Amino acid sequence: MNHLASQIVLVPVIVPLLGAGLCLAFGRSARAQRIISIVALSIVVVAAGALLWRADQLGPQAVNVGGWPADLGISLVADRLSALLLVVSTIVTLSVLLYSFGQGIVEFGRDTPLSVFHPTFLVLSAGVSAAFLSADLFNLFVGFEILLAASYVLITLGGTEARVRAGTIYVIVSLISSVLFLISIAAVYAATGTVNLAALPDRIAALPEPVQLVLQLMLLLTFSIKAAIFPLSAWLPDSYPTAPAPVTAVFAGLLTKVGVYAIIRVQTTVFPDQPLRTLLLCAAILTMVVGILGAVAQSDIKRLLSFTLVSHIGYMLFGIALATEAGYAGAIFYVVHHITVQTALFLVAGLIEYRTGTTQLDRLGGLARAAPVLAILFFVPAMNLAGIPPFSGFLGKLALIQAGTASGDWLAYTGVGAGLAVSLLTLYAVAKAWNRAFWQPRDEHVDDDVPATGGLHPDTTTTVEDKVLRLPRGMALPTLALVTFSVALTVAAGPLIGVSQRAADELVERTPYIDAVLGDVP
Amino acid sequence: MSVDLALIFAIGVLVACGTTLVLERSLTRVLVGFVLLGNGVNLFFIVASGPPGAAPIVGASDERMADPLPQAMALTAVVITLGVTAFGLALAYRTWQLEGHDDVQDDVEDSLVMRRAERDDMSGSFDEVDESLPEEEGADLPSINDELTRENDEDDESPDDGDPR
């Protein structure tokens, strides 16, 4: 193996961290910070693309950092799954960064230190990459902590009352999940003497079955909190919506998916023999149904989207729970689709907020006439989310439903039924938002005692008629780019499904990953 | 593997105290709980490293070395805990600055949705049905609901008054 070329694996972690340091050094100049952030993330996008190509053509790319043997030191591995998620996540991160320039988030309130946003954002990106690439549990934990620490800062950006309240819930839940993760890692180490994902399967298999089950349940519990799987999802809709739009968008797109990725990785690589099918299928079905019922009840676009986020995590878990190759392939495709679409929708919600000063459906109306571009930007990803053909959401759901019916037992069929019903309810929820915000005229008799929560300018109650703000190009163009990208996923669905299936093959086969990690032992 | 019972006992006490404190409303207590939990888990790493031994430096001693890996992990975890605790304290201070206390608040939107649900119960048709069946169980419910709604309204209004934005 060409050793030098496989060092690209390090780029997605190192370059953003380096960029973050430079951004701090150039904290005085917003312009220098912007240039550094864009260059750093662009390098990561290119590197991730190269990684995906190499991982697809040549097999998993592994690097043992510092030359330590894999089961002692830190190894970073990019197989097809990691590389694919890395590509999508960095593209999404880059577009959100561009969007944030447009919003002038760095000038957000005079209390906010000007220099904080960019370094934190880059650290978040490094954390996400580290989590996707790490080949041992403890490094996964460190990756999680890097992205969590960055997310704590981002979610409380500006330190307003609403954000501190929402951030507090988020921080506490994350702290508890981190402690659980640490306990699980210590337990895994005590039982097996390693935390390397490639070395674990054999040693785990040698353990008594109850011990295996305890370890697996503890890891799943940890990742389920991060991925917001019912009944561990209650924190998400409370904490996401109040953050600034770009922050919510990148959180919604990436952070829960890192949890989903960890579940896929642990389930396929470490515990391939006991998929806990019934438990996970029940959790998946409940996540889908409870999440979407929450979305239907909401009257704020951002909160509605947060609930659909929870609900659609259920689809991915459904694919994982089936524990078949088709299920994994469907889940991977769905993750890629959902990262893009959910981020795009939150960016649009940010645009709506910028345009009107609120995202409360009670206060919105008639936007289709006032802002036709915005209407299209909302409509396309919303229909995509609901799974209307021919969008990628439809293809992802179709793949999952096919995988479910192929399994052929009653629980899988229940999951398929729930998936169909939830997709219908998603359509209802986003159509409700569309109708009230864009289609019907604004209700003049708004309940004035409804406080404007989470507004961009909470003290002003701008309405469409009061103040016509043009959509700033800096915000609209990155949103447009992301919406176009999500549509492009439909056009390029053939190759994408191909990659997802090959990634699922690799996961089920397991040996390429294990050989790549352990093969380099000097 | 032989296990140090005193360590296990200490872990039990730390984690139990930590869990109790994390369930409190006040953010400062939650943080103290988190620190206790973190220390308990770090001790757990020491237990996970197996029996004690000499310092893990190659060639320093002929005795059996202790396993250095869990110690490295515990060290990393200590650093992370420190950083996160510092952030949490800043958050608690900011909450105190803004609201005069550091209690974890309920979500505003949640209470709004709840209020709406309660209003639906109080709609005219509901009352009519209730009046036509005065003998039924729960006929006195509307009045209780009324009070609840009023109380909730007051609860919801009060934080908005102190809004500094």
Side-chain angles (χ1 to χ4, degrees), chain A residues 71-73 111 138 141-142 145 149 152-153 156 158-169 171-172 175-176 178-179 182-187 189-190 193-195 237-239 242 297-300 303 307 360 362 447 449-455 458-459, chain B residues 1 15 22 24-25 27 30-31 34 37-38 41-42 44-45 47-50 67-70 72-74 76-77 80-81 84-85 87-88 91-92 94-95 98-99 102-110 112-113 115-116 119 153 156-157 159-160 162-165:
Chain A
D71 52 345
L72 287 183
D111 298 336
F138 193 76
F141 167 75
V142 174
E145 285 306 311
Y152 298 155
V153 177
T156 52
T160 60
E161 199 176 341
R163 282 185 193 154
V164 167
R165 174 172 52 227
T168 310
I169 297 170
V171 170
I172 293 174
L175 288 184
I176 289 167
S178 298
V179 168
L182 267 181
I183 295 175
S184 322
I185 291 172
Y189 192 87
T194 183
V195 285
D238 281 354
S239 52
T242 44
Q298 296 304 314
S299 62
D300 181 286
R303 285 182 63 87
F307 274 101
Q360 292 220 323
D362 293 336
D447 244 351
D449 61 352
V450 179
T453 47
D459 41 344
Chain B
M1 191 172 88
V15 171
V22 162
E24 291 275 335
R25 270 268 168 178
L27 186 52
V30 172
L31 282 171
F34 171 68
L37 271 178
V41 176
N42 289 336
F44 189 25
F45 270 102
V47 172
S49 70
D67 186 353
L69 216 52
M73 291 179 194
T76 316
I80 291 173
T81 314
V84 173
T85 311
F87 182 83
L91 201 61
R94 181 69 182 163
T95 316
L98 287 170
E99 301 179 20
D102 67 345
D103 285 0
V104 179
Q105 298 288 302
D106 284 336
D107 191 70
V108 177
E109 283 282 340
D110 276 352
L112 274 181
V113 170
R115 206 161 83 186
R116 250 202 350 250
R119 273 192 198 160
D153 280 358
D156 286 332
E157 243 62 81
D160 289 343
D163 200 338
R165 289 169 298 194

Side-chain angles (χ1 to χ4, degrees), chain B residues 6-17:
Chain B
L7 270 182
I8 300 281
F9 185 71
I11 294 171
V13 171
L14 282 173
V15 171
C17 295

Side-chain angles (χ1 to χ4, degrees), chain A residues 374-417:
Chain A
L374 190 59
I376 294 169
L377 284 179
F378 181 81
F379 190 74
V380 171
M383 289 301 113
N384 199 342
L385 185 74
I388 299 295
F391 290 120
S392 56
F394 167 71
L395 299 172
K397 289 187 178 77
L398 188 65
L400 286 172
I401 284 168
Q402 278 176 343
T405 46
S407 280
D409 60 319
W410 66 271
L411 202 56
Y413 276 116
T414 316
V416 168

Side-chain angles (χ1 to χ4, degrees), chain B residues 121-158:
Chain B
D121 286 343
M122 298 297 294
S123 68
S125 54
F126 183 85
D127 284 344
E128 271 168 37
V129 173
D130 244 16
E131 277 162 23
S132 68
L133 300 164
E135 309 297 333
E136 289 237 336
E137 262 189 300
D140 53 341
L141 271 181
S143 62
I144 292 175
N145 271 348
D146 225 1
E147 281 167 26
L148 273 180
T149 325
R150 225 177 288 130
E151 274 173 25
N152 271 323
D153 280 358
E154 283 161 17
D155 284 351
D156 286 332
E157 243 62 81
S158 51

Side-chain angles (χ1 to χ4, degrees), chain A residues 279-463:
Chain A
L279 175 73
L280 288 184
L281 274 177
C282 291
I285 293 168
L286 284 174
T287 311
M288 286 196 255
V289 173
V290 173
I292 202 64
L293 290 182
V296 167
Q298 296 304 314
S299 62
D300 181 286
I301 294 182
K302 281 177 157 186
R303 285 182 63 87
L304 189 150
L305 290 176
S306 302
F307 274 101
T308 63
L309 169 63
V310 172
S311 164
H312 284 236
I313 295 289
Y315 281 102
M316 298 160 214
L317 189 65
F318 177 65
I320 301 168
L322 289 173
T324 59
E325 212 175 296
Y328 291 132
I332 294 169
F333 182 82
Y334 205 84
V335 171
V336 172
H337 144 78
H338 197 253
I339 289 179
T340 328
V341 168
Q342 195 75 48
T343 312
L345 276 172
F346 270 107
L347 289 186
V348 175
L351 281 176
I352 295 175
E353 195 172 22
Y354 184 89
R355 180 74 167 71
T356 63
T358 179
T359 51
Q360 292 220 323
L361 289 173
D362 293 336
R363 290 162 174 266
L364 289 169
L367 271 175
R369 181 166 297 167
V373 178
L374 190 59
I376 294 169
L377 284 179
F378 181 81
F379 190 74
V380 171
M383 289 301 113
N384 199 342
L385 185 74
I388 299 295
F391 290 120
S392 56
F394 167 71
L395 299 172
K397 289 187 178 77
L398 188 65
L400 286 172
I401 284 168
Q402 278 176 343
T405 46
S407 280
D409 60 319
W410 66 271
L411 202 56
Y413 276 116
T414 316
V416 168
L420 290 172
V422 167
S423 137
L424 210 60
L425 282 173
T426 311
L427 182 63
Y428 168 68
V430 292
K432 187 181 83 171
W434 162 263
N435 272 341
R436 290 179 65 182
F438 291 92
W439 214 237
Q440 70 189 24
R442 182 169 176 268
D443 184 9
E444 296 302 331
H445 314 287
V446 195
D447 244 351
D448 276 331
D449 61 352
V450 179
T453 47
L456 189 62
H457 319 289
D459 41 344
T460 59
T461 48
T462 19
T463 59

Side-chain angles (χ1 to χ4, degrees), chain A residues 122-154:
Chain A
L122 288 175
V123 168
L124 182 82
S125 163
V128 171
S129 305
F132 281 150
L133 291 173
S134 65
D136 67 82
L137 280 178
F138 193 76
N139 210 24
L140 187 65
F141 167 75
V142 174
F144 271 134
E145 285 306 311
I146 295 175
L147 73 87
L148 283 179
S151 69
Y152 298 155
V153 177
L154 288 175

